[in-house]
Amino acid sequence: MAIGQQCTSVPNIRDLSEALPTIKAGRVLRCSNPALASAADMRLLLEEFGIRELVDLRSTEELSEDKNSSLFESARLTRFSRSWWSGQTFSQDLTVSTSVVSTGNNGSSSSSSSSRGSSISGTSSSGSSSSGGSSTNGSSSNTSSSSSTSYTLGQSVSLVRTQVSLLERSRFYLALAYKLPVTRTVPALLLSGISRAWSRGILIKDVNDGGLRLLYEILLDSAMPEIAQVLELVLLALEGGRPIMFFCKAGKDRTGLVAALILTCCNASEEEIVTDYARSNAFKMVALAGIEKRPELAGLDKSRFEGSPPEAMEGALAYAKLRYGSLGQYMQKAGFTAEKQKRLDLLAGRHGHGAASPNASTSKGVGDSSVSGSSSKALGEEEQSVLDETTRILSTRVCGSPAVDGYAHVLPKCLEQSPTAQWWSAYYKGGGKQQDLVVHIEKRSDYDGLAVFWGIKNTKNSSAECEDVCFEPDAHTHTKGDCWLKFTEGPVMPEVNMRGDLPDSFRSRHAKAPKTVQWESGVLLPPGVPLRNGTWGPRWLW
């Protein structure tokens, strides 16, 4: 029986395997906002389907509409945002400020939040450490309720909701201005100082005429970093053997585009992509991230944005071909490489093997690492929960980028209290050893961080080929063998200064820059925790 027939309180829900039989059922689900899922449907999703990852594509304004959601109150919320200064995406754990992370005397570790109904438990090495809060015995419960539903999560269940907004008001208008001819935008701008109604009248016709086709073009063009991040989250969940569910408000526009990209990775035909998209046509709802409620869009013809007619997705596919070559090439331009697309296809398919081996490298040179470590083994539910929570903590960045203003504004106290620093403190105080960690290496790359050990004149033998003077866009002179030891928040998602072949736009700013990055970078991570593609740091724009 299809999940839509079983999960009746979540509109427009379905399994991507219904669109493409080569995808294994239960691995990737899509739906509209599941905020008001009933207790029975929460059990279905969390227990029978094993959902542990929720990807919320809605805007922050839309999130404020959620009221009394047992499902969301049971989840930890992480938000990926884009820095206007650097263009990078960075994560923020919105439960950090009220959370308690402790390691008990018996070696147990827990993380709980007073602002939400979540409590996540697991085990770690022996020893004791506390960052404010009482120790636990390694297990806890998670209970949340509302007037309509009541459901209790089992022990050692880690439910994470990650918000990656694909449509924000400011980005929408900037992209719209780029799309429309100057003969429309300039008069609208000039008239805005005289009459906002006249200014709206000029633009609203173009918005209505463009309809969903224009919306999808704007999404593809303006949300590249966010779309790449969503695909990274899907791949990360599949590598960990965890089912994932992504959604927006209506489950047809933003969700429909993400579904089209995933299906493209899995070699679906255009007909299969359009057919899956058109199944949402029965759900008549305008979902423009709350923008449709703004006075500047008074006069919006909502009928042009309801439903999901096949020609809207056909238009999006045609636009991707015209501008990018194909959806596959679009994903590569966004940073989700061809190797990663193949990896997603493998893991989503019926013959995918679930959790990835620690020795597997998903991409060479552009994104992932060459990894050394021990062989993988099947994990129990509690072990997997601990691994998931560790990956989440070591992916979180709450203090911003130290390089955003040339390191002039660094917050040591914030870094000391960051989830990353707290985790490492608990690891070493609990008896953890550095030799038990896994070394992840990426050649031809340069990761950012704060120097713990200054690298100049700290030379080491290296397998990386490098010139006598190694280029770096800063005020120092770097020589072959310089070894820098750095601290960074979120080492699973490092900030990347340079990577691979340097583009002409970069080299035009730096006359001495080589064609290829001369550095070799790496991170230390616990076994089983993957090194991901990371985000571009501010230094990439220096």
Side-chain angles (χ1 to χ4, degrees):
M1 182 185 297
I3 187 174
Q5 296 174 285
Q6 303 175 66
C7 191
T8 56
S9 66
V10 181
N12 205 12
I13 186 171
R14 56 186 179 271
D15 195 315
L16 281 193
S17 67
E18 298 173 36
L20 192 64
T22 55
I23 296 177
K24 185 175 181 180
R27 289 195 172 169
V28 186
L29 277 63
R30 56 171 291 180
C31 63
S32 64
N33 181 12
L36 298 181
S38 66
D41 285 345
M42 285 179 66
R43 288 191 187 92
L44 177 71
L45 292 171
L46 301 179
E47 294 183 9
E48 295 189 31
F49 280 84
I51 296 294
R52 295 293 180 269
E53 308 273 349
L54 303 173
V55 180
D56 194 332
L57 307 176
R58 298 177 299 156
S59 67
T60 302
E61 181 176 339
E62 289 175 295
L63 264 61
S64 65
E65 300 172 359
D66 298 330
K67 305 295 182 184
N68 300 320
S69 172
S70 293
L71 181 65
F72 291 164
E73 289 171 1
S74 300
R76 299 184 68 88
L77 177 60
T78 299
R79 174 177 297 155
F80 273 90
S81 303
R82 191 198 309 185
S83 166
W84 280 103
W85 176 262
S86 66
Q88 67 172 329
T89 58
F90 60 92
S91 65
Q92 180 184 13
D93 187 342
L94 299 185
T95 61
V96 166
S97 61
T98 55
S99 67
V100 174
V101 180
S102 62
T103 303
N105 291 329
N106 63 353
S108 62
S109 172
S110 71
S111 172
S112 62
S113 169
S114 60
S115 64
R116 303 185 185 278
S118 62
S119 183
I120 300 152
S121 64
T123 60
S124 68
S125 303
S126 60
S128 62
S129 171
S130 175
S131 60
S134 59
S135 301
T136 69
N137 62 0
S139 64
S140 56
S141 63
N142 184 329
T143 305
S144 60
S145 63
S146 69
S147 58
S148 59
T149 61
S150 179
Y151 177 71
T152 302
L153 288 176
Q155 292 184 350
S156 301
V157 169
S158 173
L159 181 63
V160 178
R161 176 167 61 122
T162 304
Q163 182 205 6
V164 189
S165 175
L166 299 193
L167 184 60
E168 292 287 344
R169 183 185 179 208
S170 55
R171 292 206 308 262
F172 174 81
Y173 287 124
L174 282 174
L176 179 63
Y178 178 80
K179 283 283 183 186
L180 299 182
V182 175
T183 54
R184 311 286 288 177
T185 55
V186 171
L189 182 63
L190 294 174
L191 283 173
S192 63
I194 303 173
S195 170
R196 291 185 180 274
W198 291 353
S199 178
R200 285 198 303 266
I202 291 178
L203 296 180
I204 199 66
K205 182 180 185 302
D206 294 286
V207 174
N208 286 334
D209 288 346
L212 289 174
R213 173 192 57 77
L214 177 62
L215 173 64
Y216 295 167
E217 290 180 11
I218 287 175
L219 284 171
L220 287 170
D221 292 343
S222 67
M224 266 193 175
E226 290 75 19
I227 286 174
Q229 188 61 63
V230 171
L231 295 171
E232 290 281 356
L233 290 169
V234 173
L235 179 59
L236 182 61
L238 292 173
E239 286 183 330
R242 302 183 302 278
I244 189 168
M245 184 167 74
F246 61 95
F247 61 91
C248 57
K249 184 174 182 177
K252 67 182 186 69
D253 300 321
R254 289 161 286 185
T255 298
L257 277 180
V258 170
L261 292 166
I262 295 173
L263 289 171
T264 297
C265 291
C266 297
N267 299 304
S269 66
E270 289 191 5
E271 181 180 358
E272 289 168 321
I273 291 172
V274 171
T275 299
D276 176 66
Y277 167 81
R279 288 184 60 185
S280 299
N281 199 38
F283 299 90
K284 304 295 184 182
M285 181 184 293
V286 178
L288 301 180
I291 301 172
E292 71 276 10
K293 302 176 184 177
R294 296 282 182 172
E296 62 263 25
L297 284 187
L300 183 73
D301 184 355
K302 295 185 178 180
S303 67
R304 300 298 304 272
F305 296 90
E306 293 177 335
S308 54
E311 55 268 22
M313 180 54 69
E314 290 169 351
L317 296 176
Y319 177 75
K321 281 184 181 179
L322 179 65
R323 179 155 190 187
Y324 301 102
S326 67
L327 278 184
Q329 289 174 282
Y330 167 83
M331 287 186 277
Q332 291 185 59
K333 185 175 178 62
F336 197 71
T337 65
E339 291 84 1
K340 290 185 178 182
Q341 294 174 42
K342 293 176 183 178
R343 181 77 174 155
L344 193 153
D345 177 31
L346 171 67
L347 294 172
R350 291 186 176 275
H351 302 293
H353 53 72
S357 165
N359 289 315
S361 175
T362 63
S363 173
K364 294 181 180 178
V366 191
D368 283 316
S369 59
S370 302
V371 182
S372 62
S374 58
S375 59
S376 63
K377 63 176 182 178
L379 299 179
E381 181 179 351
E382 186 171 354
E383 290 176 305
Q384 186 64 57
S385 178
V386 173
L387 182 59
D388 293 347
E389 179 67 356
T390 301
T391 301
R392 184 196 65 79
I393 291 172
L394 296 182
S395 301
T396 301
R397 184 179 295 273
V398 298
C399 302
S401 173
V404 72
D405 54 3
Y407 304 96
H409 183 189
V410 176
L411 301 173
K413 188 171 183 180
C414 181
L415 293 169
E416 290 170 3
Q417 296 176 353
S418 68
T420 298
Q422 293 293 323
W423 190 92
W424 284 115
S425 177
Y427 174 78
Y428 286 115
K429 288 182 179 179
K433 298 178 180 179
Q434 185 165 314
Q435 56 262 39
D436 294 332
L437 301 173
V438 178
V439 181
H440 298 250
I441 298 295
E442 182 183 350
K443 295 184 177 181
R444 306 301 182 191
S445 68
D446 177 31
Y447 296 169
D448 199 20
L450 294 174
V452 177
F453 198 101
W454 201 251
I456 295 176
K457 297 185 178 180
N458 176 39
T459 57
K460 305 289 183 182
N461 291 328
S462 171
S463 60
E465 293 296 328
C466 189
E467 303 296 334
D468 291 337
V469 178
C470 300
F471 171 79
E472 183 75 31
D474 59 22
H476 303 293
T477 299
H478 300 271
T479 58
K480 183 176 180 178
D482 279 4
C483 180
W484 293 77
L485 180 63
K486 303 177 183 179
F487 170 82
T488 181
E489 281 191 280
V492 168
M493 296 282 291
E495 283 194 317
V496 180
N497 296 332
M498 300 182 292
R499 168 178 282 154
D501 294 333
L502 295 172
D504 292 340
S505 59
F506 185 96
R507 297 175 65 201
S508 67
R509 300 195 304 270
H510 303 282
K512 296 182 179 180
K515 292 184 178 181
T516 302
V517 176
Q518 298 164 319
W519 294 89
E520 182 176 286
S521 297
V523 297
L524 290 174
L525 291 172
V529 175
L531 172 64
R532 303 306 304 147
N533 192 51
T535 57
W536 290 112
R539 293 175 67 145
W540 175 244
L541 300 177
W542 285 9

